[in-house]
Amino acid sequence: MAGVQVANVSRSFGAHKALDDVSIDFPDGGFYALLGPSGSGKTTLLRQIAGFDFPDTGRIAIGGESVERVPVEKRRIGMVFQNYALFPNMSVADNVAFGLSVRGEPKGTIATEVQRALDLVQLGKLGGRRPHQLSGGQRQRVALARAIVTKPRVLLLDEPLGALDKALRVDMQIELKRIQREIGITTIFVTHDQEEALTMSDRIGILRDGRLVQEGPPEEIYDKPQSEFAATFLGDANIFRGDATGNGIRLPDGTTIAAGSGPSLAAGAKASCAVRPERIQISTGAGTSEAGYANTLRGQVSKRIFAGNNSTYFVDRDGQTLKVIVQNTGAERLAEGQEVILRWSPESTVLIAA
Amino acid sequence: MAEQLATGSRRALRPALPLLLPAYLWLTVAIFLPLSAMVFFSFMTDLPLAGKEWAFTLGNYAAFFSQSLYSKLLFASLRLGLEVTLWCVVIGYPAAYVLAKVLKGRSREAIFLLVILPFWSNGLVRIFSWAMVLREGGILDTTLNAVLPSKINIDLMYSYPAVIIGLVHSYVPYMVLTCYLTLQAIDDSLIEAGRSLGASRLQVLKRVIIPLSMPGLIAGAALIFVPVVGSFMEPRILGGRTGTFYGTVIEDQFVAVFNWPLGAALSFILLAVVLVILGLAAPVLRRAG
């Protein structure tokens, strides 16, 4: 096992900068998600770490050893591809055995290791099958077994759950996490699915246009986004734009919003505030608010979407539509068109430099 | 279950018949009837033309077995077929690989055109062009002597290598095309997966790419081997006196000697031998794939 260090890595394809001075420290034994929209460079970064492509500049180290010019077959990595990439001309067992057999391991060792890997992914009895006889989820497991049987230093996953349907994807998320914990392997996971990134990883790196926007534990990024992009890409957020006041912002109409965290900005500088929809309290104004909910806005419900365990209210306020998510606690539901008061605490508000 | 399937397919066949009919009609007229006529001829003592006397005989087939010349020539032709096929694999497979996996976009189209171009030229013209290249004082000879310091004589004309060169040139596009199709269908991620598991490029080629492109290799080999064994044009023009093969003997029977019955009998013996070889080779090759 080993951590991975990416330092100042840049990679261009023609005039297009796919990676622009990206530095990330992937901790040993951690589960790290690279999250970003398509074209953000996350797959390019994974391919640099794998060794399918070399960076123009910068350094990549696995377990402290510089590998940026080492070809993929010498890097001792394990990779799971989006389309699984199982060899169709081989049985499941031969697929898993491939990495050991090209290394020239004795037949007996290979057989034991392959069985152990297949047992780990709960496919112990399907070694004789051909890939085309398996379901999508089973192929996924074979691909995983094949990638880890060689005891790689790093496990790289390229949107491995993208081709699975929703229910199976949730199962596989749990399964993948269990296997990763069990063997304790450093894992780097590329995804564009923010929920997947939040539920599975210890750390998340958000990429956009080839740059690292923000990185850290999921809770930290979710609670303290440092940019509007990070706030809206990972989860939902209401964004207010105005001028910095010292401890918050002043909206164009004069309303002030207090923020509990964020950088200290000079008064008058352009800034925004982000608030998560579930942190906002919505009421008709008749009720009194809890203490500390200092930020208050008036608006009108334009739409309500009922989703069983919660409801989403869209509230129009001064040309802006705000989103509020309310848990279904049995309390009275608000009707569309109703005048409402929105309240939330400064602690739920993050100041973001424009 | 099996019965259900059988009636099901029979029911599906009826509406398909009008669509199949033109093809079968064409096959009947263009292949089955002439072949039947040839089978008929091969059992006759002489052609029933100009009021000549004729009778049924097995003599034409017996001639093959009584004269060792025919079996010797057949063997030489089979060897020629094997050699040309091998050269086509050696030249065509790498070319197909480069086309399918290395080149992209415009350059792929351009090279592809160059590969197919020989198909569009007349076979006879192609062979005579080779004659101009290979003969003494020809293009190859002149060019090499212009480049090399010492004088060498290159006269490949009327030799076995000349026949091989002509045939390989004529048939290598088949190998390139069939292999290209199977290679192109191999997902690049399979190659990457192999390498991520620690396999060198050579190991990936041996254990993943070649097995997966075996159907193309087999199809290409069959497409080349069969016509080359019966070929006569290239051996005759480029081989001269050394170019006597089974195919040229058959051609002689039809064109020069006018012994159609013997020519037909020799043709069917060739057909039978080729079918037996393909039949024996198919399962072996399929297992290798």
Side-chain angles (χ1 to χ4, degrees):
Chain A
M1 301 307 151
V4 176
Q5 287 79 41
V6 167
N8 310 105
V9 163
S10 293
R11 176 76 173 116
S12 298
F13 299 105
H16 172 64
K17 272 201 159 184
L19 288 176
D20 189 2
D21 196 27
V22 173
S23 300
I24 304 178
D25 204 346
F26 300 91
D28 190 2
F31 197 115
Y32 197 107
L34 289 172
L35 180 67
S38 54
S40 61
K42 56 192 192 299
T43 296
T44 307
L45 180 57
L46 195 76
R47 293 176 66 81
Q48 308 290 323
I49 298 168
F52 291 125
D53 189 37
F54 296 149
D56 298 330
T57 56
R59 197 171 154 269
I60 297 171
I62 300 175
E65 173 202 341
S66 275
V67 294
E68 63 269 5
R69 290 289 175 268
V70 176
V72 52
E73 59 267 26
K74 301 233 168 70
R75 284 199 190 181
R76 293 199 286 128
I77 53 124
M79 178 132 174
V80 175
F81 295 80
Q82 189 169 13
N83 63 355
Y84 320 130
L86 299 180
F87 306 125
N89 56 319
M90 300 178 199
S91 68
V92 164
D94 286 344
N95 261 283
V96 178
F98 186 88
L100 297 170
S101 114
V102 294
R103 224 192 262 170
E105 301 275 346
K107 281 219 165 71
T109 319
I110 294 178
T112 337
E113 292 294 323
V114 166
Q115 194 54 49
R116 189 180 302 162
L118 283 176
D119 287 339
L120 184 68
V121 297
Q122 300 176 349
L123 287 179
K125 293 196 179 75
L126 298 185
R129 295 262 187 103
R130 290 268 167 162
H132 68 85
Q133 296 170 312
L134 302 180
S135 69
Q138 289 171 330
R139 282 180 214 182
Q140 181 62 67
R141 288 159 193 261
V142 176
L144 186 61
R146 184 178 69 174
I148 58 178
V149 75
T150 55
K151 301 203 167 46
R153 299 186 287 181
V154 192
L155 180 62
L156 306 173
L157 309 167
D158 185 9
E159 306 223 17
L161 308 179
L164 301 177
D165 61 56
K166 178 87 180 163
L168 198 55
R169 200 153 63 208
V170 174
D171 282 351
M172 277 306 293
Q173 285 176 6
I174 297 166
E175 183 75 3
L176 197 57
K177 193 75 196 163
R178 173 185 71 80
I179 293 167
Q180 193 263 338
R181 284 237 180 83
E182 207 165 313
I183 56 177
I185 186 171
T186 309
T187 302
I188 304 172
F189 180 98
V190 160
T191 182
H192 63 265
D193 184 331
Q194 41 131 332
E195 196 186 307
E196 214 164 81
L198 281 172
T199 53
M200 294 180 74
S201 49
D202 312 322
R203 285 180 86 82
I204 296 176
I206 296 182
L207 290 162
R208 183 197 195 186
D209 298 335
R211 287 177 160 277
L212 182 68
V213 173
Q214 190 176 350
E215 72 113 28
E219 298 85 355
E220 186 187 304
I221 298 186
Y222 189 81
D223 292 340
K224 306 254 164 15
Q226 290 164 5
S227 61
E228 283 185 23
F229 179 78
T232 51
F233 193 73
L234 194 74
D236 248 327
N238 295 301
I239 302 286
F240 300 96
R241 295 196 184 96
D243 302 320
T245 58
N247 67 340
I249 60 167
R250 187 187 313 281
L251 300 183
D253 67 356
T255 317
T256 54
I257 292 174
S261 61
S264 50
L265 299 172
K270 290 276 170 221
S272 357
C273 280
V275 192
R276 298 292 179 192
E278 70 275 13
R279 297 289 189 90
I280 299 178
Q281 211 185 49
I282 187 168
S283 65
T284 52
T288 51
S289 85
E290 295 164 36
Y293 279 51
N295 292 316
T296 307
L297 288 175
R298 287 179 181 276
Q300 187 181 25
V301 175
S302 65
K303 200 175 182 185
R304 179 171 74 94
I305 296 173
F306 177 66
N309 62 343
N310 65 47
S311 293
T312 303
Y313 291 98
F314 292 91
V315 178
D316 282 345
R317 185 257 160 206
D318 195 21
Q320 190 180 8
T321 302
L322 305 172
K323 210 172 169 184
V324 181
I325 295 177
V326 178
Q327 283 300 309
N328 184 359
T329 55
E332 190 195 350
R333 293 183 186 122
L334 301 167
E336 289 175 7
Q338 209 160 353
E339 298 284 338
V340 289
I341 296 177
L342 305 179
R343 294 188 178 91
W344 69 96
S345 70
E347 286 68 45
S348 300
T349 314
V350 182
L351 183 66
I352 293 168
Chain B
M1 184 66 185
E3 258 169 53
Q4 262 179 341
L5 281 177
T7 52
S9 64
R10 215 173 295 144
R11 212 172 298 139
L13 195 63
R14 204 163 298 149
L17 268 181
L19 295 176
L20 287 170
L21 213 60
Y24 278 104
L25 211 63
W26 170 251
L27 285 176
T28 309
V29 172
I31 293 174
F32 186 72
L33 290 181
L35 264 179
S36 307
M38 279 297 155
V39 172
F40 191 60
F41 286 159
S42 72
F43 289 105
M44 295 166 103
T45 50
D46 206 341
L47 277 186
L49 296 172
K52 275 192 261 184
E53 289 293 309
W54 63 276
F56 282 114
T57 177
L58 288 172
N60 296 317
Y61 288 92
F64 177 85
F65 296 99
S66 61
Q67 292 185 36
S68 64
L69 172 72
Y70 294 128
S71 48
K72 250 185 227 157
L73 286 176
L74 178 58
F75 186 76
S77 282
L78 290 174
R79 197 187 124 194
L80 180 72
L82 205 65
E83 275 186 44
V84 170
T85 308
L86 277 178
W87 280 111
C88 285
V89 171
V90 168
I91 297 168
Y93 190 81
Y97 183 86
V98 170
L99 270 174
K101 293 287 166 212
V102 181
L103 297 176
K104 302 264 179 282
R106 266 293 157 73
S107 50
R108 177 193 280 183
E109 284 166 26
I111 302 285
F112 214 101
L113 193 69
L114 288 180
V115 169
I116 303 182
L117 217 53
F119 266 157
W120 297 345
S121 62
N122 178 285
L124 211 56
V125 172
R126 213 157 52 209
I127 297 165
F128 276 113
S129 313
W130 271 113
M132 288 171 64
V133 172
L134 298 174
R135 72 184 154 83
E136 189 175 14
I139 296 168
L140 183 69
D141 193 19
T142 319
T143 316
L144 278 179
N145 276 314
V147 175
L148 294 174
S150 58
K151 170 89 183 141
I152 50 162
N153 261 328
I154 295 202
D155 183 10
L156 286 171
M157 206 47 196
Y158 306 128
S159 70
Y160 188 65
V163 177
I164 297 266
I165 290 172
L167 282 168
V168 167
H169 179 237
S170 296
Y171 286 99
V172 80
Y174 288 103
M175 187 58 79
V176 176
L177 290 178
T178 56
C179 289
Y180 173 79
L181 288 177
T182 46
L183 282 168
Q184 205 206 19
I186 299 174
D187 198 317
D188 285 346
S189 67
L190 291 182
I191 299 169
E192 295 190 337
R195 294 187 60 211
S196 77
L197 291 164
S200 64
R201 284 170 193 276
L202 202 67
Q203 280 173 316
V204 172
L205 183 73
K206 226 171 69 188
R207 303 180 61 154
V208 179
I209 299 173
I210 290 181
L212 285 176
S213 53
M214 201 45 101
L217 276 167
I218 293 173
L223 279 177
I224 292 165
F225 179 76
V226 174
V228 166
V229 171
S231 65
F232 55 86
M233 213 156 63
E234 290 88 350
R236 193 174 293 282
I237 298 169
L238 296 172
R241 237 184 308 166
T242 62
T244 307
F245 287 94
Y246 197 77
T248 60
V249 169
I250 293 175
E251 192 214 3
D252 278 340
Q253 302 312 313
F254 281 98
V255 181
V257 191
F258 289 107
N259 191 349
W260 284 32
L262 180 59
L266 292 176
S267 297
F268 283 108
I269 289 169
L270 175 63
L271 183 64
V273 169
V274 165
L275 285 179
V276 167
I277 291 173
L278 290 182
L280 290 177
V284 178
L285 290 171
R286 209 168 297 141
R287 213 170 309 135

